[in-house]
Amino acid sequence: MGTTPSDSNAGRVRAITASVEKSPLGDNLWTVKVNNGTRGPITELEVDVFVVDDHGNRTADECGPAKGRLSIPHVFESMLGQALQGGLGAIANQAQGYAGMPTGGLASLSSYGRPMASHLLSSPQGAALLGQVQASMADSFPRVVTAEQRAEVVYFAEGTGEVHADIAFDDEDGNRWLRPFGQPPKRVE
């Protein structure tokens, strides 16, 4: 008994986290995730996403949602090039050891990514897929994240630093919390 609602929630709100990881979709793209690992909703979610330098200091580099700034054709081109280089490139490298196989013939398969992406996206099916990808990209975090759910947004960041995210939210009892990146949550009075 004797504990206040804020004391009883202090342990639970530790399960509300923000994580940031470099996106495989391209350079300067970062996926920011807010995970509500509690059995209750969080409301009034605010996410502050920013770039830091090697010393952890905020920079003036721009950082914002990638939706509308992301070139989906460029992403497809990059992904196809990497897939071709990784999968078929390994086969080509092994095949070069065989007599009569031209050297370098298949080793630069990543250069085929652009024409293949262009062809894929010019087809009706490709155009529909492009539209679905762009429409499904979130441009902001929801104000409410229900129990045991997560939300994520892809961000574009200028510069060479890392992206961090601080979060603020209300727990199910209406208490306000701030969780600076990589630190435990703190109740805001």
PDB file of all heavy atoms in Angstrom, residues 60-75:
ATOM      1  N   ALA A  60      23.392  20.775 -35.906  1.00  0.00           N
ATOM      2  CA  ALA A  60      22.378  21.573 -36.606  1.00  0.00           C
ATOM      3  C   ALA A  60      21.886  20.858 -37.859  1.00  0.00           C
ATOM      4  O   ALA A  60      21.067  21.410 -38.602  1.00  0.00           O
ATOM      5  CB  ALA A  60      22.958  22.939 -36.972  1.00  0.00           C
ATOM      6  N   ASP A  61      22.372  19.631 -38.096  1.00  0.00           N
ATOM      7  CA  ASP A  61      21.967  18.878 -39.291  1.00  0.00           C
ATOM      8  C   ASP A  61      20.468  18.636 -39.279  1.00  0.00           C
ATOM      9  O   ASP A  61      19.881  18.325 -38.246  1.00  0.00           O
ATOM     10  CB  ASP A  61      22.697  17.539 -39.362  1.00  0.00           C
ATOM     11  CG  ASP A  61      24.185  17.693 -39.613  1.00  0.00           C
ATOM     12  OD1 ASP A  61      24.581  18.686 -40.252  1.00  0.00           O
ATOM     13  OD2 ASP A  61      24.953  16.823 -39.158  1.00  0.00           O
ATOM     14  N   GLU A  62      19.872  18.759 -40.449  1.00  0.00           N
ATOM     15  CA  GLU A  62      18.432  18.538 -40.591  1.00  0.00           C
ATOM     16  C   GLU A  62      18.101  17.062 -40.404  1.00  0.00           C
ATOM     17  O   GLU A  62      18.829  16.178 -40.833  1.00  0.00           O
ATOM     18  CB  GLU A  62      17.977  18.999 -41.970  1.00  0.00           C
ATOM     19  CG  GLU A  62      16.492  18.889 -42.172  1.00  0.00           C
ATOM     20  CD  GLU A  62      16.062  19.322 -43.564  1.00  0.00           C
ATOM     21  OE1 GLU A  62      16.846  19.970 -44.273  1.00  0.00           O
ATOM     22  OE2 GLU A  62      14.929  18.987 -43.934  1.00  0.00           O
ATOM     23  N   CYS A  63      16.974  16.797 -39.750  1.00  0.00           N
ATOM     24  CA  CYS A  63      16.511  15.436 -39.533  1.00  0.00           C
ATOM     25  C   CYS A  63      14.989  15.471 -39.513  1.00  0.00           C
ATOM     26  O   CYS A  63      14.392  16.141 -38.666  1.00  0.00           O
ATOM     27  CB  CYS A  63      17.058  14.907 -38.204  1.00  0.00           C
ATOM     28  SG  CYS A  63      16.649  13.190 -37.877  1.00  0.00           S
ATOM     29  N   GLY A  64      14.358  14.763 -40.444  1.00  0.00           N
ATOM     30  CA  GLY A  64      12.902  14.766 -40.513  1.00  0.00           C
ATOM     31  C   GLY A  64      12.384  13.507 -41.177  1.00  0.00           C
ATOM     32  O   GLY A  64      13.162  12.722 -41.743  1.00  0.00           O
ATOM     33  N   PRO A  65      11.084  13.285 -41.105  1.00  0.00           N
ATOM     34  CA  PRO A  65      10.509  12.094 -41.734  1.00  0.00           C
ATOM     35  C   PRO A  65      10.906  11.996 -43.202  1.00  0.00           C
ATOM     36  O   PRO A  65      10.944  12.996 -43.923  1.00  0.00           O
ATOM     37  CB  PRO A  65       9.003  12.291 -41.574  1.00  0.00           C
ATOM     38  CG  PRO A  65       8.876  13.170 -40.365  1.00  0.00           C
ATOM     39  CD  PRO A  65      10.063  14.102 -40.444  1.00  0.00           C
ATOM     40  N   ALA A  66      11.219  10.784 -43.634  1.00  0.00           N
ATOM     41  CA  ALA A  66      11.696  10.555 -45.000  1.00  0.00           C
ATOM     42  C   ALA A  66      10.567  10.567 -46.027  1.00  0.00           C
ATOM     43  O   ALA A  66      10.824  10.745 -47.213  1.00  0.00           O
ATOM     44  CB  ALA A  66      12.444   9.228 -45.078  1.00  0.00           C
ATOM     45  N   LYS A  67       9.324  10.378 -45.567  1.00  0.00           N
ATOM     46  CA  LYS A  67       8.210  10.340 -46.522  1.00  0.00           C
ATOM     47  C   LYS A  67       8.184  11.647 -47.302  1.00  0.00           C
ATOM     48  O   LYS A  67       8.248  12.721 -46.740  1.00  0.00           O
ATOM     49  CB  LYS A  67       6.883  10.139 -45.799  1.00  0.00           C
ATOM     50  CG  LYS A  67       5.716   9.989 -46.754  1.00  0.00           C
ATOM     51  CD  LYS A  67       4.452   9.607 -46.041  1.00  0.00           C
ATOM     52  CE  LYS A  67       3.348   9.348 -47.032  1.00  0.00           C
ATOM     53  NZ  LYS A  67       2.169   8.774 -46.391  1.00  0.00           N
ATOM     54  N   GLY A  68       8.098  11.533 -48.594  1.00  0.00           N
ATOM     55  CA  GLY A  68       8.106  12.713 -49.452  1.00  0.00           C
ATOM     56  C   GLY A  68       9.506  13.127 -49.859  1.00  0.00           C
ATOM     57  O   GLY A  68       9.683  13.853 -50.820  1.00  0.00           O
ATOM     58  N   ARG A  69      10.526  12.687 -49.126  1.00  0.00           N
ATOM     59  CA  ARG A  69      11.914  13.011 -49.466  1.00  0.00           C
ATOM     60  C   ARG A  69      12.645  11.794 -49.996  1.00  0.00           C
ATOM     61  O   ARG A  69      13.721  11.903 -50.536  1.00  0.00           O
ATOM     62  CB  ARG A  69      12.649  13.513 -48.227  1.00  0.00           C
ATOM     63  CG  ARG A  69      12.058  14.766 -47.657  1.00  0.00           C
ATOM     64  CD  ARG A  69      12.888  15.255 -46.540  1.00  0.00           C
ATOM     65  NE  ARG A  69      14.192  15.648 -47.072  1.00  0.00           N
ATOM     66  CZ  ARG A  69      15.130  16.191 -46.342  1.00  0.00           C
ATOM     67  NH1 ARG A  69      14.949  16.407 -45.075  1.00  0.00           N
ATOM     68  NH2 ARG A  69      16.291  16.536 -46.870  1.00  0.00           N
ATOM     69  N   LEU A  70      12.061  10.641 -49.801  1.00  0.00           N
ATOM     70  CA  LEU A  70      12.693   9.384 -50.156  1.00  0.00           C
ATOM     71  C   LEU A  70      12.384   9.058 -51.611  1.00  0.00           C
ATOM     72  O   LEU A  70      11.227   9.043 -52.018  1.00  0.00           O
ATOM     73  CB  LEU A  70      12.161   8.275 -49.245  1.00  0.00           C
ATOM     74  CG  LEU A  70      12.697   6.877 -49.440  1.00  0.00           C
ATOM     75  CD1 LEU A  70      14.197   6.849 -49.186  1.00  0.00           C
ATOM     76  CD2 LEU A  70      12.000   5.930 -48.493  1.00  0.00           C
ATOM     77  N   SER A  71      13.410   8.780 -52.366  1.00  0.00           N
ATOM     78  CA  SER A  71      13.240   8.374 -53.755  1.00  0.00           C
ATOM     79  C   SER A  71      13.046   6.863 -53.796  1.00  0.00           C
ATOM     80  O   SER A  71      14.011   6.109 -53.700  1.00  0.00           O
ATOM     81  CB  SER A  71      14.461   8.771 -54.583  1.00  0.00           C
ATOM     82  OG  SER A  71      14.419   8.131 -55.831  1.00  0.00           O
ATOM     83  N   ILE A  72      11.793   6.437 -53.898  1.00  0.00           N
ATOM     84  CA  ILE A  72      11.513   5.007 -53.924  1.00  0.00           C
ATOM     85  C   ILE A  72      12.196   4.335 -55.126  1.00  0.00           C
ATOM     86  O   ILE A  72      12.757   3.251 -54.979  1.00  0.00           O
ATOM     87  CB  ILE A  72       9.990   4.743 -53.899  1.00  0.00           C
ATOM     88  CG1 ILE A  72       9.365   5.308 -52.625  1.00  0.00           C
ATOM     89  CG2 ILE A  72       9.697   3.262 -54.040  1.00  0.00           C
ATOM     90  CD1 ILE A  72       9.857   4.705 -51.336  1.00  0.00           C
ATOM     91  N   PRO A  73      12.209   4.962 -56.315  1.00  0.00           N
ATOM     92  CA  PRO A  73      12.947   4.323 -57.413  1.00  0.00           C
ATOM     93  C   PRO A  73      14.425   4.117 -57.066  1.00  0.00           C
ATOM     94  O   PRO A  73      15.000   3.080 -57.387  1.00  0.00           O
ATOM     95  CB  PRO A  73      12.782   5.298 -58.582  1.00  0.00           C
ATOM     96  CG  PRO A  73      11.475   5.977 -58.296  1.00  0.00           C
ATOM     97  CD  PRO A  73      11.447   6.118 -56.794  1.00  0.00           C
ATOM     98  N   HIS A  74      15.023   5.095 -56.378  1.00  0.00           N
ATOM     99  CA  HIS A  74      16.429   4.951 -55.980  1.00  0.00           C
ATOM    100  C   HIS A  74      16.589   3.790 -54.995  1.00  0.00           C
ATOM    101  O   HIS A  74      17.560   3.037 -55.050  1.00  0.00           O
ATOM    102  CB  HIS A  74      16.953   6.247 -55.367  1.00  0.00           C
ATOM    103  CG  HIS A  74      18.362   6.143 -54.887  1.00  0.00           C
ATOM    104  ND1 HIS A  74      19.434   6.081 -55.734  1.00  0.00           N
ATOM    105  CD2 HIS A  74      18.853   6.051 -53.627  1.00  0.00           C
ATOM    106  CE1 HIS A  74      20.543   5.965 -55.029  1.00  0.00           C
ATOM    107  NE2 HIS A  74      20.228   5.942 -53.746  1.00  0.00           N
ATOM    108  N   VAL A  75      15.621   3.638 -54.076  1.00  0.00           N
ATOM    109  CA  VAL A  75      15.666   2.541 -53.104  1.00  0.00           C
ATOM    110  C   VAL A  75      15.585   1.200 -53.834  1.00  0.00           C
ATOM    111  O   VAL A  75      16.364   0.285 -53.562  1.00  0.00           O
ATOM    112  CB  VAL A  75      14.531   2.670 -52.068  1.00  0.00           C
ATOM    113  CG1 VAL A  75      14.396   1.413 -51.234  1.00  0.00           C
ATOM    114  CG2 VAL A  75      14.784   3.872 -51.177  1.00  0.00           C
TER     115      VAL A  75
END
